[in-house]
Amino acid sequence: MPDPYLDPDSKTQEAIEAMASRLEARGNHKTFLRMVENYGKTLPSNEPLTVLDLGCGTGIVIRQLAKMLDPSSKFYGADISAKLLGEAAKFSENDEIQWDHISTGSLPYADGTFDVIVMHTLLSHVPDPLAILAEAQRVLKKGGKLIVFDADHVSTTYNQADYETTRRIDSMLASAITIHPDICRQLPKLFKSSGYAITDHSVDIISECGKGDFWLSSVHAFAKLMPTIEALSEDEADKWLEYMLQSHEDGTFFASGTYYTFYAKSLL
Ligand SMILES: C[S@@+](CC[C@H](N)C(=O)[O-])C[C@H]1O[C@@H](n2cnc3c(N)ncnc32)[C@H](O)[C@@H]1O
């Protein structure tokens, strides 16, 4: 079951638009904006920085950082998907961000270019996260800051009528939408092997009990996506959606997930 973000440009225009609107809806949700704002606040806002958002998708993160940081900073958004970058350029209000279409492998930047690199829900979607970290390390300045934000997909849960169904669908979703649903648990080891020291980390547990909001938007998106990638049958996806909507209506909704932000500095 291929991760849809592994090679977005091989998907139909309809799928690209669905991914783009999903990334924008998620990224503009107050819960997500707060998490980006929290790591943005750890960066100095009164000195010019050179900042790369690697795997920027529609550019939601770099657009927000551009609003928070010194305006004479240089902002780059890089992605393997020309189609998602096309969407990013549409959402961009001005040309303060440089959008770079890159290939997997080496990055088109000189050694030591960036003060800061952000990877926001990238590493759970790439086949070789260690190679990405090592290449990012090359283009970071010595002592430069890497911020990696990702979901601990293996702990995301959407409660159903019985635990067996909950567990089966949670596990199906985790492996259908990512290559590495446990990336957060692997990151300390991966940082160590690629020349970084972890300087800090923070954890956000997003739980909704009674009514759904943030997670309800994922429920709608995944109920559509899962049958198209044959992760769930139409019937299973409909029943799953129906239970989540019903529990939201009657005030018994429960869904929860954990996001980690890692702060690391380049040692090389
Ligand atoms: C889940 S999306 C996240 C997009 C954006 N960071 C956000 O949070 O809205 C993952 C993105 O990583 C991109 N991607 C996948 N493999 C990549 C690679 N090797 N290098 C750069 N980007 C990659 C995909 O095209 C997609 O835009």
Side-chain angles (χ1 to χ4, degrees):
M1 228 178 288
D3 177 333
Y5 290 109
L6 185 55
D7 180 13
D9 286 0
S10 65
K11 307 288 180 300
T12 61
Q13 187 55 28
E14 195 187 359
I16 286 283
E17 280 165 20
M19 278 185 244
S21 63
R22 165 77 193 128
L23 290 175
E24 285 295 307
R26 178 183 82 164
N28 281 310
H29 192 282
K30 60 181 186 311
T31 301
F32 233 62
L33 286 172
R34 177 180 50 76
M35 293 191 282
V36 176
E37 202 177 289
N38 284 346
Y39 66 67
K41 279 189 204 150
T42 69
L43 300 171
S45 60
N46 53 359
E47 62 184 77
L49 298 172
T50 308
V51 183
L52 171 66
D53 178 3
L54 186 58
C56 64
T58 58
I60 193 96
V61 167
I62 195 72
R63 288 191 333 254
Q64 198 180 342
L65 292 178
K67 285 185 203 147
M68 298 177 70
L69 299 177
D70 187 301
S72 40
S73 298
K74 288 192 198 143
F75 299 103
Y76 296 75
D79 203 286
I80 55 160
S81 167
K83 292 181 179 173
L84 287 175
L85 285 171
E87 299 293 320
K90 284 188 217 161
F91 289 116
S92 205
E93 283 156 20
N94 50 43
D95 57 5
E96 67 194 343
I97 301 162
Q98 177 171 320
W99 303 108
D100 289 330
H101 181 215
I102 57 166
S103 347
T104 46
S106 48
L107 292 169
Y109 308 111
D111 295 3
T113 302
F114 296 100
D115 298 295
V116 178
I117 298 182
V118 175
M119 300 178 189
H120 191 102
T121 67
L122 168 68
L123 292 179
S124 52
H125 299 284
V126 298
D128 189 352
L130 187 60
I132 304 266
L133 286 169
E135 182 58 3
Q137 201 274 326
R138 179 185 71 75
V139 300
L140 256 184
K141 291 180 180 161
K142 185 171 181 194
K145 193 164 188 175
L146 174 68
I147 300 178
V148 177
F149 174 96
D150 225 310
D152 183 46
H153 291 270
V154 283
S155 57
T156 305
T157 187
Y158 299 88
N159 196 56
Q160 292 280 296
D162 61 88
Y163 182 54
E164 190 39 47
T165 311
T166 303
R167 193 168 52 171
R168 189 172 55 77
I169 299 189
D170 286 347
S171 147
M172 186 72 82
L173 283 171
S175 50
I177 55 172
T178 57
I179 304 178
H180 303 288
D182 65 338
I183 190 71
C184 296
R185 301 168 190 209
Q186 302 305 326
L187 276 169
K189 197 167 55 191
L190 294 173
F191 285 136
K192 185 159 189 210
S193 315
S194 50
Y196 299 90
I198 297 180
T199 54
D200 205 353
H201 79 281
S202 62
V203 186
D204 289 276
I205 297 174
I206 312 295
S207 296
E208 288 172 343
C209 306
K211 295 285 180 191
D213 176 20
F214 178 74
W215 293 115
L216 205 53
S217 73
S218 304
V219 167
H220 284 290
F222 293 145
K224 253 194 223 145
L225 185 65
M226 289 304 117
T228 67
I229 59 172
E230 293 171 8
L232 293 177
S233 68
E234 292 275 357
D235 187 47
E236 269 183 315
D238 285 349
K239 284 197 176 118
W240 181 71
L241 173 65
E242 196 185 325
Y243 186 84
M244 298 311 295
L245 293 179
Q246 186 55 51
S247 60
H248 168 70
E249 275 310 305
D250 64 24
T252 61
F253 184 94
F254 182 95
S256 182
T258 309
Y259 289 92
Y260 285 82
T261 309
F262 290 91
Y263 302 89
K265 81 174 175 198
S266 168
L267 295 173
L268 303 173

